[in-house]
Amino acid sequence: MQNKKCRLNNVSDGIFVFSQPETPNFSILYFSKKNQIIKKYFHTYKNVSTIKILTITLKYGTNHIHIILGSFMSKILVISAHQDLNQSVSNQLILQELENHFGDKISVRRLSDLYPDFKIDVPAEQNALVQADVVLFQYPTFWFNTPAILKKWLDDVWLYGFAYGEGGDKLHGKKLLVSTSTGSPEGVYNGEIVAKIEDLVKPVKHLALYSGFEWQGVYPLYGALYIAGVHNDEHLAQLQNNAKAHAKTLIEKLESLV
């Protein structure tokens, strides 16, 4: 939790009112007297899921008054669009690292497990998006494009009245970023024969912006190809280390957003 400048708004009859109104998602009032919480008031925010609590002790005259400070923690949604995670090294490991770090603050939807028949549960997916504040697309780049399951998910879920058009403001103000793995090394994506990864992901960027997301960029993991029987154990170990390092980068970025 970041330390932020706060103020004690008023004091009357031993009841303290503490708030921090200058931060958009951090405006909570607590009333406390003689170490007992008399009343809590939470300013209601859309899509709030988790609350951190911090107790602060202030000295007022001869009394020590405990004031409880709470902060809203954003909910992170990960859309995993690998075609078969059981065959994945990097994507599977990245998801595990994210879940281990964020715990109940993150929800991972593995599309290949949920919809092996490509029949998307639209209400369920829309609800997951509504509940989230930060959305991460995690997928491998296939032939310089997104996997088919992600395109199907977008076509089915981001509908008129939800993601665009009249009443289609359900994604406004949320944050979206992309993490994508490639089989080829970074040098292939040089903007000559193959476009740079930033250019390949432009369709995702622009659909995000069109739907009201705040675009947070693309994070590529290059050279993540592993084929059993072709690559050796040393290569596998290197890929696993690279995936963990990539996950750490994502964690740092996500932490900065929530």
Side-chain angles (χ1 to χ4, degrees):
M1 182 183 298
Q2 296 180 350
N3 293 323
K4 297 180 180 292
K5 184 178 180 180
C6 305
R7 67 172 181 268
L8 197 62
N9 285 353
N10 58 62
V11 180
S12 62
D13 299 326
I15 300 178
F16 286 70
V17 184
F18 186 90
S19 72
Q20 188 182 4
E22 64 270 22
T23 306
N25 65 341
F26 198 125
S27 182
I28 306 174
L29 304 181
Y30 284 91
F31 299 75
S32 179
K33 181 179 180 181
K34 295 182 180 179
N35 300 338
Q36 294 182 347
I37 299 172
I38 297 176
K39 179 180 180 182
K40 300 180 184 179
Y41 170 75
F42 286 70
H43 187 88
T44 302
Y45 284 88
K46 189 177 181 180
N47 300 333
V48 170
S49 58
T50 307
I51 298 172
K52 275 188 178 180
I53 299 297
L54 176 67
T55 302
I56 299 175
T57 302
L58 298 178
K59 186 175 182 180
Y60 179 67
T62 58
N63 298 320
H64 286 79
I65 306 299
H66 295 282
I67 299 197
I68 299 178
L69 176 66
S71 69
F72 292 124
M73 296 299 295
S74 301
K75 182 71 174 181
I76 303 167
L77 172 67
V78 179
I79 301 299
S80 165
H82 197 288
Q83 85 286 7
D84 185 358
L85 279 171
N86 292 325
Q87 300 297 320
S88 169
V89 174
S90 297
N91 279 257
Q92 188 171 191
L93 188 53
I94 289 167
L95 296 178
Q96 291 172 358
E97 293 289 304
L98 292 176
E99 288 177 313
N100 289 341
H101 179 83
F102 287 105
D104 61 2
K105 293 191 290 293
I106 196 167
S107 174
V108 177
R109 298 190 67 78
R110 293 167 169 83
L111 299 186
S112 61
D113 293 345
L114 291 169
Y115 311 114
D117 55 1
F118 273 49
K119 295 180 180 179
I120 309 296
D121 184 340
V122 175
E125 297 304 316
Q126 289 183 343
N127 181 65
L129 285 164
V130 168
Q131 296 302 317
D133 296 296
V134 180
V135 179
L136 168 66
F137 286 176
Q138 175 64 52
Y139 62 85
T141 294
F142 284 163
W143 284 109
F144 320 119
N145 213 323
T146 62
I149 187 76
L150 181 58
K151 183 62 168 64
K152 180 68 161 56
W153 181 85
L154 289 166
D155 290 346
D156 287 3
V157 176
W158 291 30
L159 299 177
Y160 182 92
F162 178 79
Y164 70 99
E166 185 177 355
D169 59 354
K170 307 304 186 294
L171 305 177
H172 286 193
K174 301 177 187 294
K175 299 175 175 64
L176 187 142
L177 63 158
V178 165
S179 166
T180 185
S181 58
T182 71
S184 299
E186 183 175 2
V188 171
Y189 297 85
N190 56 14
E192 297 177 4
I193 294 178
V194 177
K196 294 181 179 179
I197 203 73
E198 293 80 5
D199 294 325
L200 291 177
V201 81
K202 278 184 177 179
V204 177
K205 174 182 178 180
H206 290 294
L207 69 87
L209 293 173
Y210 185 73
S211 301
F213 272 104
E214 297 175 10
W215 177 247
Q216 301 298 317
V218 55
Y219 292 80
L221 174 60
Y222 296 105
L225 180 64
Y226 175 76
I227 302 175
V230 175
H231 298 110
N232 59 27
D233 291 344
E234 183 180 354
H235 178 78
L236 175 60
Q238 184 60 59
L239 290 187
Q240 292 170 331
N241 289 335
N242 292 346
K244 289 181 180 180
H246 184 77
K248 183 177 179 181
T249 298
L250 292 177
I251 288 168
E252 291 173 353
K253 176 62 178 180
L254 292 169
E255 287 280 15
S256 73
L257 297 177
V258 299

